[in-house]
Amino acid sequence: MRANCSNSSACPANSSGEEWPGVLPAPGNLAIVFSVLSALMMGMLMFSLGCSVEIRKLWLHIKRPWGIAVGLLCQFGLMPLIAYLLATSFSLKPLQAIAVLIMGCCPGGAISNILTFWVDGDMDLSITMTACSTVAALGMMPLCLYLYTWSWDLEKNVTIPYQNLGISLVCLTIPVAFGVYVNYRWTKQSKIILKIGAIAGGVLLLVASVAGLVLARESWHPDITLLAVSFIFPSTGHITGFLLALLTHHSWPRCRTISLETGAQNIQMCVTMLQLSFSPEELVQMISFPLSYGLFQVLDGFLIVAAYKIYKRRVKNKHKRKNPGGAESCHNKTSTSPKETSAFLEVNEEVAVTHGPSEPMDPPMTAEPTGHISSCA
């Protein structure tokens, strides 16, 4: 084993001499075909999600990058720290601990953009954060890995796949740019493309998750401890990202966006780094973590979407029962109770968030229930 951490008190080396039998099999034709199809489908998906982005609101995020700054702090501040604490707290094997830390240092993945759309998040902020985190990863990934592995006394360096980072950035920006152009020229058609892409995105997540596990079934050997870390890691990222966004006075849609961007990592980037940096024998111990993390990441995402949809429907039905008359609701805007106005998930966010808020910093208390908007329209 080349990653020798047994002499450092900060390194989780409770069983550094144990090796897992077997090596990773070479990728077959089926895996290559799956990778190509996934890349094409992801490009089409990012094109459809780009149809929800408006140039004016995208420029507002760049001009006043408060939301982007908070997102980057979560991505390269909270996630590496959480990874380090989990690796040391659970006393993982050295190679497993390195895999967990590499995952924490990776940029955000495209899955966050899909989930953000389904929870009525700020799509302009989500796509901008994904692009910015990919660019920032060029410098932040080696910096974070150096800081957190400094006390571990590693005998080999972790290879940063700069080429893959560049490819990921190109695959993100070009389809999104086409989507933004379509939204600018053909607004009505872009809404249809967006709905189709959102449905296709959910199907793609399920297919990619199942197919990825099937193709890598011979390399997936997780133990109970590693599964526990895989379950806790993305959930903790979602929670801490949401709390930090809330403490910095972002609106509810942006809190959800930053939360999803924080917990959703680029799984493919982590796998590429492991393959470039470690031998096949070492990969057998490490590859299980990104696979299990990706599985729980998708499950967490669907649970968050389901919880949001259920709560949104309950709030909407409750508001309809209290305000059955459209005209009466329109004249009584100011009489809404504080409890309704400050509801955790405002129903009108579906309208406000799809096109992005007009100001980068909207306090959570300013939203109004949808019933007023729909009844006055």
Side-chain angles (χ1 to χ4, degrees):
M1 188 182 308
R2 300 181 187 179
N4 182 14
C5 312
S6 58
N7 295 328
S8 174
S9 59
C11 179
N14 62 325
S15 55
S16 58
E18 182 180 350
E19 293 286 350
W20 289 3
V23 297
L24 284 176
N29 294 330
L30 182 60
I32 296 175
V33 172
F34 173 74
S35 300
V36 173
L37 291 178
S38 297
L40 292 175
M41 293 183 66
M42 188 59 65
M44 296 176 62
L45 175 63
M46 296 311 298
F47 164 73
S48 63
L49 293 178
C51 292
S52 66
V53 178
E54 296 183 11
I55 299 177
R56 180 179 62 86
K57 290 161 185 177
L58 187 65
W59 172 247
L60 284 176
H61 286 298
I62 299 175
K63 187 178 180 180
R64 297 177 60 184
W66 182 234
I68 299 175
V70 174
L72 290 178
L73 177 60
C74 294
Q75 191 71 61
F76 297 108
L78 288 179
M79 291 302 283
L81 178 60
I82 294 172
Y84 180 82
L85 294 177
L86 287 175
T88 54
S89 299
F90 282 84
S91 299
L92 296 179
K93 301 178 180 71
L95 291 179
Q96 292 178 345
I98 295 171
V100 172
L101 186 59
I102 290 176
M103 178 62 73
C105 296
C106 285
I111 182 178
S112 60
N113 307 128
I114 304 172
L115 297 176
T116 297
F117 175 82
W118 282 107
V119 299
D120 299 330
D122 189 336
M123 288 301 301
D124 304 275
L125 178 60
S126 177
I127 294 177
T128 305
M129 281 180 58
T130 302
C132 290
S133 67
T134 303
V135 174
L138 296 172
M140 292 304 299
M141 287 180 68
L143 177 61
C144 292
L145 287 172
Y146 173 78
L147 293 176
Y148 284 101
T149 60
W150 178 73
S151 61
W152 288 5
D153 190 25
L154 297 181
E155 294 183 358
K156 64 186 301 183
N157 295 325
V158 177
T159 302
I160 306 297
Y162 293 104
Q163 182 178 0
N164 293 77
L165 284 170
I167 293 174
S168 298
L169 185 62
V170 171
C171 293
L172 171 68
T173 55
I174 292 181
V176 169
F178 277 110
V180 174
Y181 178 76
V182 170
N183 188 30
Y184 175 75
R185 291 294 302 271
W186 304 284
T187 305
K188 293 183 179 180
Q189 290 80 356
S190 66
K191 294 180 180 179
I192 299 176
I193 297 174
L194 180 60
K195 291 181 180 179
I196 297 175
I199 298 174
V203 176
L204 175 61
L205 285 179
L206 290 175
V207 173
S209 301
V210 175
L213 292 176
V214 171
L215 292 174
R217 62 185 181 277
E218 297 180 1
S219 307
W220 197 30
H221 305 285
D223 52 28
I224 300 300
T225 303
L226 197 63
L227 285 176
V229 174
S230 304
F231 172 76
I232 296 173
F233 197 178
S235 303
T236 306
H238 290 313
I239 295 172
T240 54
F242 183 89
L243 293 177
L244 183 58
L246 188 63
L247 291 174
T248 50
H249 304 288
H250 283 273
S251 61
W252 293 123
R254 295 183 185 180
C255 288
R256 296 195 296 271
T257 301
I258 294 174
S259 171
L260 292 172
E261 288 288 338
T262 303
Q265 299 294 87
N266 193 324
I267 307 297
Q268 184 178 2
M269 188 65 59
C270 179
V271 173
T272 301
M273 291 181 64
L274 295 178
Q275 291 175 338
L276 292 176
S277 304
F278 298 92
S279 65
E281 291 79 8
E282 293 169 331
L283 275 177
V284 174
Q285 300 188 45
M286 308 174 77
I287 202 67
S288 296
F289 177 74
L291 294 176
S292 55
Y293 185 97
L295 175 63
F296 286 116
Q297 179 175 265
V298 173
L299 292 178
D300 282 351
F302 280 117
L303 288 176
I304 292 173
V305 172
Y308 172 77
K309 295 296 184 181
I310 293 173
Y311 191 90
K312 177 181 174 182
R313 179 172 296 182
R314 289 182 59 187
V315 173
K316 188 175 182 179
N317 293 336
K318 180 179 179 182
H319 183 73
K320 285 183 178 180
R321 290 195 297 268
K322 289 187 176 181
N323 299 275
E328 182 180 354
S329 300
C330 184
H331 291 294
N332 294 328
K333 272 186 174 183
T334 57
S335 64
T336 306
S337 65
K339 183 177 180 181
E340 292 175 352
T341 305
S342 60
F344 178 72
L345 298 175
E346 304 298 341
V347 185
N348 73 316
E349 287 174 358
E350 182 174 7
V351 178
V353 175
T354 303
H355 301 288
S358 59
E359 294 293 335
M361 287 288 294
D362 295 328
M365 301 289 289
T366 59
E368 296 178 356
T370 300
H372 300 312
I373 295 177
S374 59
S375 60
C376 299

